């Protein structure tokens, strides 16, 4: 920059002056809508150094070598913007407003430092794509502030690169030297590992609104110039990260501020994959999940990466720790984030304001319910209702001595909003009334006012009109049928808790018709159930309308309270219109004039003139305390990452200069919205445990599940459970119908799933010592009593635990439920029967088609065949008895030979060994595998014994 000759510098300064004067002429031209540049000409050089306030860049892959760049930037509004005199700007003061297209220009008309004027290249701000080309950007205005003198907008540029990346270099090096090794010169590109060098993109120019702070003297040009960078490697990434930061930071003097900063993949979850890891012919890093890494450049700035942030998506930005900021300081900070080898940066202004005039009313909690100084990052499942987030309501609550508003931005992988607010006061972002409320939020979400004082509500949350009949209402028309469904009003309404009568609201007084009573509700939180949102939906607008006026209010986002305030009076119809927006909430409604209340009125008329007039008076919150809660139930198609950053902002209207504005430290909340996930089984024992079961003894396996679809409350529904399927086969253990006919009612058999009381079906909610349901936990038992014909059973019993998703399936027409399956390995001991009560051998024998003498012979420790649980020699009562003998087949045995040898049929052998039901002689004996079968020899069989085997 400084190496240019004196003559070259003079020529460059002359070019700069020419372009600056041209810009001034364009802005000051007399014509339709172009502003008067007199104010700009009168500015002193010391008033400002430029017009740049903040910017960030991101990109996404379009196709082939083509990318789409997105630049979000904020500039001084009263600047030498080129202006078409025939069209002008749309702002009421003649300066740019929403929808205007601005050409991003370079040096401002303010006198510049020598070093700045000697920069090489074009003087106007350009986007350099890294291949020697540069491009002019058009900025579409999306929000602005007249009082604070800034304009925010978005610019797009679609560009096709000649190649996927800039170049490549050998991957390996030694002693700082790249190793160029090849097997043959012809195949080096297909065999040698390379590292790709991305394209480097720069959006750079001059000048920042305020010079950055530094201890260096003289100040380097970097304190004045801005340079927003990105890298592009289409062989590795389909998109860059997207920095999600509000356009400027507020911080306090003489103290450290911790500011959460987040980023998303501009390509969604698919963009989080590094396709080749930034290398070629080196597969070890292919298709790896990209992780975010952060850096910062600034006078008093550093980053603290958070271990609990998923993939490093969010970090804590430290401002003002060392060196300390002083009150009214101005500074800039440059933040950079990498996702894989895709880098983007952002440049942001810092305002140091103090002392702290805005007080957080949530004590130790930051906005959105997160702890102060922590990253606000959590998962939100489809169909789960906020405001529960990070274990607390997503509440923002600040108090000041001047009116406040909550300013915020909303971003997803595909979109970043402009600066928005809860009240379009000094910040303008919408051309329509309906667009002012809950602006930029995901579909179905709201940023609603909420306030609770003690046990009572503060804001009006609902309105109602009640009709009745009394002595005050006399003719005309009092005896005719009621127009509302032919009903006759006979009694007064008794207000429920939280509802108040608007005194004097009988607008039919002495006019005939029904007695009118207007009620307003100031809801309070009725329980600790955070999903009860009645108190979180304050009314923010009340109007009166005749039928011809209703449509106009509906277009503005109002709802119609469909009850005529002139009911049955034959004087026409007037309705209350109301809305639940994000602006200042309604505190009170009266029927009589009151200081500080807004007067609303409308009249009915006919050809003879006015018939009836209704007047009401509405008090709105002064917003000295601003409290908002984010409420949202995401549904199908909304499973993506969403970031909302917010701060409380004040504007001192008594000081008409930008430095009078101040606000709080920004807080960001990252919601990872995911499809509903199934319940998770909580293992109390080893996951691979094999459960030992016995015929006749109830096997008890404890079940405990926890729902994983966050956030969880005390009112989660209990998952439905059932025996699972493996392939087309149920894993529920059952007996064939032939076997069931052989069993008596005294033989306990069967499997079931029950609650903790072991009485009903289905799981039970887990309760704590205070008998309140634990968050999303349920428990019960899997109970199974193997029958006499299930000895030798070996397999898995599986349980499916499911929760419904029909309200918000993952995809349109998707599954109506999501389930998890947990399987338990069970082995039923063969030849053993668990004694039931006072079992005798006489009762047991028929269950196994044998006789009591043989059973007594198989159990020599039993003292008496009629009392099987009585054991000789003072031994503890027996739990099981033998019902047969274990036989280990020979190498050449077949099922037929074993059955014949012991006087049994093959079916009888299978009845005693259920695992033989699917066995053939070919796989009865497997080489190297020992086998056991239960046999009950029939000593009375008339068939001659045989020792023949396979090879007889």
């Amino acid at each position: 920059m400084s190496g240019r000759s004196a003559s070259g510098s003079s020529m460059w300064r002359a070019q700069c002056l020419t372009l600056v004067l041209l810009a001034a002429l364009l802005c000051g031209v007399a014509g339709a809508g172009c502003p008067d540049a007199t104010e700009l000409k009168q500015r002193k050089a010391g008033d400002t150094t430029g017009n740049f306030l903040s910017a960030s860049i991101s990109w996404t892959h379009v196709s082939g070598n083509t990318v789409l760049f997105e630049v979000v930037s904020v500039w001084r509004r009263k600047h030498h913007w080129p202006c078409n005199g025939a069209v002008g700007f749309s702002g009421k003061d003649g300066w740019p407003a929403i929808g205007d297209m601005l050409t991003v220009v370079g040096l401002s008309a303010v006198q510049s430092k020598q070093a700045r004027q000697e920069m090489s290249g074009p003087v106007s701000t350009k986007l350099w794509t890294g291949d020697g080309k540069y491009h002019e950007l058009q900025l579409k205005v999306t929000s602005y502030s007249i009082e604070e003198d800034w304009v925010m907008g978005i610019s797009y540029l679609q560009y096709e690169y000649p190649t996927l990346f800039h170049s490549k270099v050998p991957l390996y090096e030694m002693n700082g030297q790249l190793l160029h090794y090849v097997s043959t010169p012809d195949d080096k590109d297909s065999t040698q590992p390379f590292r790709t060098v991305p394209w480097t993109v720069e959006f750079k120019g001059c000048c920042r609104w305020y010079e950055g702070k530094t201890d260096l003297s003289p100040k380097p040009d970097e304190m004045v110039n801005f340079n927003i960078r990105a890298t592009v490697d289409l062989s590795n990434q389909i998109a860059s990260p997207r920095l999600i930061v509000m356009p400027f930071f507020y911080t306090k003097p003489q103290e450290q501020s911790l500011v959460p900063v987040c980023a998303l993949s501009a390509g969604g979850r698919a963009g989080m994959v590094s396709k080749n890891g930034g290398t070629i012919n080196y597969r070890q890093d292919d298709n790896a999940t990209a992780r975010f890494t952060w850096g910062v450049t600034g006078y008093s700035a550093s980053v603290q990466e958070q271990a609990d942030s998923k993939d490093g998506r969010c970090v804590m930005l430290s401002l003002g720790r060392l060196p300390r900021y002083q009150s009214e300081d101005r500074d800039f900070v440059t933040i950079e984030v990498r996702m894989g080898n895709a880098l983007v940066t952002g440049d942001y202004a810092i305002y140091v304001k103090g002392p702290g005039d805005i007080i957080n009313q949530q004590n130790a909690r930051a906005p959105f319910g997160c702890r102060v100084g922590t990253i606000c990052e959590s998962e939100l499942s489809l169909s789960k209702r906020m405001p529960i987030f990070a274990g607390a309501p997503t509440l923002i609550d600040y108090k000041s001595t001047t009116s406040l508003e909550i300013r915020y931005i909303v971003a997803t992988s595909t979109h970043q909003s402009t600066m928005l607010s809860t009240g379009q006061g000094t910040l303008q972002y919408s051309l329509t009334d309906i667009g002012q409320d809950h602006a930029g939020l995901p579909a179905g979400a709201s940023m609603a006012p909420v306030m609770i004082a003690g046990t009572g509500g503060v804001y009006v949350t609902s309105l109602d009109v009640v009709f009745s009949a009394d002595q005050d209402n006399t003719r005309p028309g009092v005896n005719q049928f009621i127009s509302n469904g032919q009903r006759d009003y006979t009694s007064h309404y008794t207000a429920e808790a939280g509802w108040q009568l608007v005194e004097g609201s009988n607008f039919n007084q002495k006019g005939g018709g029904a007695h009118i009573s207007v009620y307003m509700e100031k809801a309070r939180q009725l329980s600790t159930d955070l999903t009860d949102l009645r108190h979180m939906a304050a009314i923010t607008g009340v109007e009166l309308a005749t039928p011809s006026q209703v449509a106009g209010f509906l277009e503005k986002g109002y709802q119609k309270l469909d009850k005529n305030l002139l009911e049955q009076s034959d004087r026409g119809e007037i309705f209350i219109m109301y809305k639940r927006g994000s602006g200042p909430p309604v505190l009170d409604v009266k029927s009589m004039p009151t200081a500080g209340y807004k007067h609303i009125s409308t009249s009915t008329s006919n050809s003879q003139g006015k018939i009836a007039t209704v007047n009401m008076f509405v008090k709105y919150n002064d917003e000295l305390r601003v409290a908002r809660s984010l409420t949202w139930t995401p549904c199908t198609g909304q499973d993506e990452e969403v970031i909302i950053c917010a701060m409380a902002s004040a504007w001192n209207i008594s000081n008409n200069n930008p430095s009078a504005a101040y606000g709080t430290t920004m807080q960001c909340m990252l919601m990872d919205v995911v499809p509903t996930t199934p319940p998770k089984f909580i293992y109390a024992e080893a996951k691979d445990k094999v459960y030992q079961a016995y015929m006749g003894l109830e096997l008890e396996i404890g079940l405990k599940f926890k729902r994983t679809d966050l956030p969880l409350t005390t009112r989660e529904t209990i998952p439905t459970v059932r025996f699972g399927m493996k392939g087309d086969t149920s894993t529920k253990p059952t007996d064939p119908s032939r076997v069931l006919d052989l069993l008596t009612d005294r033989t306990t058999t069967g499997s079931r799933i029950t609650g903790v009381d072991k009485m009903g079906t289905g799981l039970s909610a887990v309760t704590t010592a205070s008998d309140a349901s634990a968050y999303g936990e349920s428990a019960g038992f899997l109970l199974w009593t193997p029958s006499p014909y299930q000895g030798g059973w070996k397999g898995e019993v599986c349980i499916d635990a499911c929760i419904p998703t029909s309200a918000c399936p993952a995809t349109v027409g998707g599954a109506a439920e999501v389930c998890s399956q947990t399987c338990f390995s069970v082995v039923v001991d063969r030849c053993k029967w668990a004694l039931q009560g006072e079992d005798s051998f006489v009762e047991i024998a028929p269950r196994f088609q044998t006789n009591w003498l043989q059973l007594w012979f198989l159990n020599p420790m039993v003292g008496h065949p009629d009392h099987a649980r009585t054991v000789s020699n003072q031994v503890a009562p027996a739990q099981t008895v033998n019902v047969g003998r274990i036989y280990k087949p020979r190498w050449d045995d077949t099922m037929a030979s074993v059955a014949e040898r012991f006087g049994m049929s093959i079916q009888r052998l299978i009845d005693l060994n259920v695992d033989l039901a699917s066995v053939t002689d070919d796989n009865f004996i497997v080489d190297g595998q020992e086998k056991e079968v239960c046999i009950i020899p029939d000593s009375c069989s008339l068939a001659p014994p045989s020792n023949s085997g396979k090879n007889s």
Side-chain angles (χ1 to χ4, degrees):
M1 291 186 294
S2 60
R4 207 178 287 110
S5 66
S7 59
S9 297
S10 300
M11 182 180 297
W12 179 253
R13 284 195 294 271
Q15 291 173 345
C16 288
L17 182 58
T18 301
L19 288 174
V20 168
L21 290 175
L22 176 61
L25 288 173
L26 285 171
C27 278
V29 66
C34 285
D36 185 358
T38 303
E39 179 183 346
L40 302 186
K41 296 175 183 178
Q42 293 174 348
R43 285 180 184 167
K44 297 178 181 179
D47 290 345
T48 180
T49 58
N51 70 313
F52 173 83
L53 193 59
S54 73
S56 63
I57 187 171
S58 61
W59 60 266
T60 53
H61 180 220
V62 177
S63 63
N65 296 349
T66 303
V67 298
L68 179 66
F69 292 104
E70 176 185 281
V71 178
V72 178
S73 56
V74 183
W75 309 81
R76 191 161 191 169
R77 184 167 177 263
K78 291 183 178 179
H79 175 59
H80 292 274
W81 299 107
C83 178
N84 184 337
V87 178
F89 298 132
S90 61
K92 61 183 180 181
D93 58 352
W95 291 96
I98 297 170
D100 289 343
M101 298 298 297
L102 307 178
T103 300
V104 178
V105 296
L107 294 174
S108 72
V110 178
Q111 294 178 7
S112 302
K113 292 186 176 181
Q114 179 79 9
R116 220 180 312 147
Q117 292 181 335
E118 292 176 351
M119 290 188 304
S120 61
V123 294
S124 57
T125 300
K126 305 291 185 182
L127 180 74
W128 299 75
T129 47
D131 56 353
K133 306 290 182 61
Y134 58 84
H135 309 268
E136 193 173 73
L137 290 184
Q138 295 291 315
L139 175 77
K140 183 176 183 179
V141 177
T142 54
S143 63
Y144 67 97
S145 173
I146 295 176
E147 295 83 355
E148 298 170 43
D149 192 23
W150 57 259
V151 62
M152 183 175 183
I154 192 166
S155 306
Y156 292 102
L157 174 69
Q158 185 166 303
Y159 183 71
E160 182 178 6
Y161 279 102
T163 56
L164 295 175
F165 47 83
H166 178 274
S167 57
K168 61 184 179 181
V169 296
L171 177 63
Y172 298 112
E173 62 179 49
M174 179 178 292
N175 299 325
Q177 298 297 317
L178 296 175
L179 297 179
H180 294 270
Y181 59 92
V182 295
S183 54
T184 66
D186 295 333
D187 66 0
K188 66 176 183 178
D189 287 339
S190 61
T191 60
Q192 178 173 328
F194 289 94
R195 176 172 55 86
T196 58
V197 178
W199 297 106
T200 298
V201 182
E202 295 179 296
F203 176 54
K204 58 184 180 180
C206 185
C207 305
R208 289 173 171 173
W209 192 336
Y210 302 102
E211 294 183 358
K213 290 185 67 64
T214 180
D215 292 328
L216 300 176
S217 181
K219 285 187 176 182
D221 289 340
E222 288 74 17
M223 298 296 99
V224 178
N225 305 323
F226 60 88
N227 187 354
I228 316 303
R229 295 174 295 124
T231 60
V232 178
D233 179 357
L234 295 175
S235 72
N236 189 35
Q237 310 278 169
I238 65 169
S240 73
R242 172 179 280 130
L243 266 169
I244 313 301
V245 182
M246 298 193 75
F248 35 81
F249 296 106
Y250 286 109
T251 186
K252 296 178 182 179
Q254 296 296 328
E255 65 179 72
Q256 178 188 19
S257 293
L258 295 176
V259 187
V261 177
C262 298
L264 295 175
S265 162
R269 293 188 173 96
M272 288 293 295
V273 177
S274 292
K275 294 187 290 184
N276 64 14
T279 60
I280 300 174
N281 302 328
Y282 185 79
R283 296 183 178 181
Q284 286 88 328
D285 56 1
D286 288 0
N287 299 315
T289 299
R291 181 175 176 83
F292 294 97
T293 55
W294 296 79
V296 65
T297 303
Y299 172 70
S300 182
S302 61
V303 292
Q304 302 174 5
E305 295 198 16
Q306 306 294 302
D308 56 349
S309 178
K310 182 180 178 182
D311 299 321
R313 296 176 296 183
C314 297
V315 295
M316 197 66 75
L317 175 65
S318 172
L319 297 176
R321 182 173 181 268
L322 287 176
R324 297 291 193 186
Y325 283 123
Q326 306 302 316
S327 182
E328 301 304 319
D329 274 353
R330 300 287 187 271
D331 196 11
F332 274 82
V333 62
T334 299
I335 302 172
E336 68 174 45
V337 60
R338 291 181 183 272
M339 185 182 70
N341 70 344
L343 165 77
V344 296
T345 70
D347 208 13
Y348 304 95
I350 299 174
Y351 297 126
V352 184
K353 308 293 290 187
D357 294 326
I358 304 178
I359 302 171
N360 182 12
Q361 299 296 294
Q362 290 298 299
N363 299 322
R365 289 198 173 271
F368 304 122
C370 295
R371 295 190 309 276
V372 172
T374 62
I375 295 296
C376 207
E377 181 178 336
S378 191
E379 192 174 279
L380 179 63
S381 299
L382 296 182
S383 79
K384 298 307 289 284
R385 180 185 250 185
M386 295 186 72
I388 307 163
F389 189 82
T394 49
L395 187 64
I396 306 173
D397 189 358
Y398 283 101
K399 188 175 183 180
S400 182
T401 56
T402 188
S403 295
L404 302 173
E405 63 184 4
I406 302 299
R407 292 185 176 181
Y408 62 95
I409 59 173
V410 183
T412 66
S413 61
T414 58
H415 173 73
Q416 177 178 333
S417 76
T418 189
M419 180 97 88
L420 306 165
S421 76
T422 55
Q424 192 166 256
T426 58
L427 169 58
Q428 307 298 314
Y429 55 87
S430 175
L431 296 174
T432 64
D433 290 338
I434 195 171
Q436 297 177 21
D437 291 315
H438 316 301
L441 297 175
S446 65
M447 188 81 78
V450 56
M451 182 66 68
I452 301 295
T455 58
V458 176
Y459 300 155
V460 176
T461 54
S462 190
L463 291 168
D464 198 6
V465 175
V466 175
F467 303 137
S468 60
D470 61 21
Q471 59 186 359
D472 292 333
N473 283 354
T474 56
R475 300 184 183 281
V478 72
N479 291 326
Q480 71 184 32
F481 286 119
I482 303 302
S483 61
N484 188 355
Q486 303 279 314
R487 293 198 300 266
D488 193 9
Y489 307 118
T490 59
S491 62
H492 281 294
Y493 171 76
T494 302
E496 299 179 0
W499 287 85
Q500 305 172 25
L501 173 66
V502 176
E503 298 292 340
S505 58
N506 181 16
F507 302 109
N508 278 339
Q509 182 75 20
K510 297 182 181 180
H515 182 100
I516 307 298
S517 298
V518 178
Y519 284 87
M520 59 182 173
E521 180 194 33
K522 296 183 178 181
R524 59 187 178 88
Q525 189 171 345
L526 300 177
S527 68
T528 57
D529 177 21
L530 296 178
T531 63
D532 180 3
L533 303 186
R534 284 179 293 174
H535 64 293
M536 292 189 172
I539 289 177
T540 60
V542 180
E543 297 289 347
L544 296 172
T546 61
S548 62
Q549 297 169 330
V550 167
F553 284 110
L554 292 176
E555 291 178 356
K556 296 179 179 180
Y558 283 78
Q559 300 178 56
K560 175 185 174 184
L561 179 53
D562 198 12
K563 294 185 178 180
N564 182 14
L565 295 178
L566 305 176
E567 177 76 3
Q568 201 195 355
S569 68
D570 293 335
R571 296 183 297 161
E573 295 178 304
I574 293 178
F575 302 98
I576 293 176
M577 307 294 294
Y578 66 94
K579 68 174 180 177
R580 291 188 174 93
S582 54
V586 173
L587 297 177
D588 195 19
V589 178
K590 291 183 180 294
S591 64
M592 300 297 293
T594 306
Y597 284 61
K598 177 185 176 183
H599 180 207
I600 58 174
S601 177
T602 195
S603 302
T604 58
S605 61
N606 57 22
S607 58
Q608 282 73 41
K610 188 181 297 184
I611 300 176
T613 298
V614 173
N615 296 287
M616 297 183 74
F617 302 85
V618 183
K619 184 177 183 180
Y620 289 88
N621 188 41
D622 56 17
E623 299 292 73
L624 296 180
R625 182 175 181 180
V626 59
R628 298 293 186 273
S629 181
L630 177 66
T631 59
W632 184 32
T633 304
C635 205
T636 305
Q638 293 183 310
D639 50 322
E640 61 179 339
E641 293 176 325
V642 179
I643 294 178
I644 300 178
C645 296
M647 66 178 181
S649 183
W651 171 257
N652 188 344
I653 58 175
S654 63
N655 260 325
N656 190 20
N657 65 82
S659 64
Y662 61 93
T664 62
T665 301
M666 177 187 74
Q667 175 70 45
C668 292
M669 172 179 65
L670 190 153
M671 296 173 287
D672 193 358
V673 184
V674 298
T676 303
T677 52
K680 180 181 179 181
F681 182 78
I682 302 174
Y683 287 90
E685 301 184 72
K687 188 175 182 180
D688 57 354
K689 177 181 177 178
V690 177
Y691 291 85
Q692 189 70 45
Y694 298 92
M695 293 180 288
L697 177 65
E698 187 173 70
L699 173 66
E700 180 181 292
I701 300 177
L703 304 176
K704 189 173 183 180
F705 293 90
K706 186 175 182 65
R707 291 187 59 153
T708 60
D709 50 324
L710 303 176
L712 298 175
T713 71
T714 57
R715 297 194 176 187
E716 300 296 337
T717 57
I718 298 174
T720 57
V721 288
R722 57 178 177 262
F723 287 97
M725 302 285 290
K726 280 292 186 76
D728 296 329
T729 306
S730 171
T731 63
K732 179 179 181 179
T734 56
D735 286 298
S737 57
R738 183 191 68 82
V739 171
L740 295 176
D741 295 336
L742 301 175
L743 302 176
T744 64
D745 292 340
R746 287 204 55 182
T747 307
T748 304
T749 61
S751 55
R752 58 197 175 103
I753 302 170
T754 184
V756 292
D757 59 359
K758 301 181 182 178
M759 298 293 292
T761 58
L763 302 174
S764 306
V766 173
T767 56
T768 63
S770 60
D771 203 35
S773 293
Y775 281 19
E777 292 188 1
S778 52
F781 293 96
L782 162 61
L783 303 176
W784 176 32
T785 304
S787 78
Y789 299 94
Q790 289 177 320
W793 191 93
K794 182 178 181 180
E796 289 184 318
V797 180
C798 299
I799 304 297
D800 288 346
C802 307
I803 55 176
T805 60
S806 55
C808 293
T811 58
V812 176
E817 62 180 4
V818 291
C819 304
S820 63
Q821 187 173 88
T822 307
C823 296
F824 306 95
S825 296
V826 180
V827 174
V828 181
D829 207 353
R830 65 184 88 235
C831 277
K832 297 283 187 181
W833 172 257
L835 297 175
Q836 310 288 313
E838 296 184 356
D839 264 351
S840 68
F841 286 150
V842 173
E843 293 172 321
I844 297 172
R847 299 170 187 165
F848 296 92
Q849 302 177 44
T850 186
N851 59 76
W852 67 270
L853 283 173
Q854 194 159 18
L855 291 181
W856 197 11
F857 175 76
L858 293 171
N859 297 275
M861 297 299 292
V862 176
H864 193 284
D866 290 336
H867 304 284
R869 294 181 70 90
T870 303
V871 182
S872 62
N873 300 324
Q874 305 299 318
V875 178
Q879 297 300 313
T880 61
V881 293
N882 299 317
V883 295
R885 291 187 179 278
I886 297 297
Y887 171 72
K888 293 185 177 181
R890 302 182 319 197
W891 67 272
D892 63 342
D893 271 337
T894 65
M895 290 176 62
S897 67
V898 171
E900 181 183 10
R901 183 176 304 130
F902 295 103
M904 305 167 60
S905 66
I906 293 178
Q907 185 60 56
R908 179 77 183 108
L909 186 63
I910 292 174
D911 288 344
L912 293 174
N913 302 272
V914 70
D915 54 330
L916 298 182
S918 59
V919 172
T920 64
D921 282 345
D922 292 334
N923 60 6
F924 182 55
I925 299 298
V926 179
D927 290 343
Q929 184 182 79
E930 291 190 357
K931 196 176 194 71
E932 293 184 345
V933 295
C934 178
I935 56 121
I936 302 179
D938 186 0
S939 57
C940 299
S941 173
L942 298 178
S946 172
N947 289 318
S948 60
K950 289 182 181 178
N951 301 319
S952 60

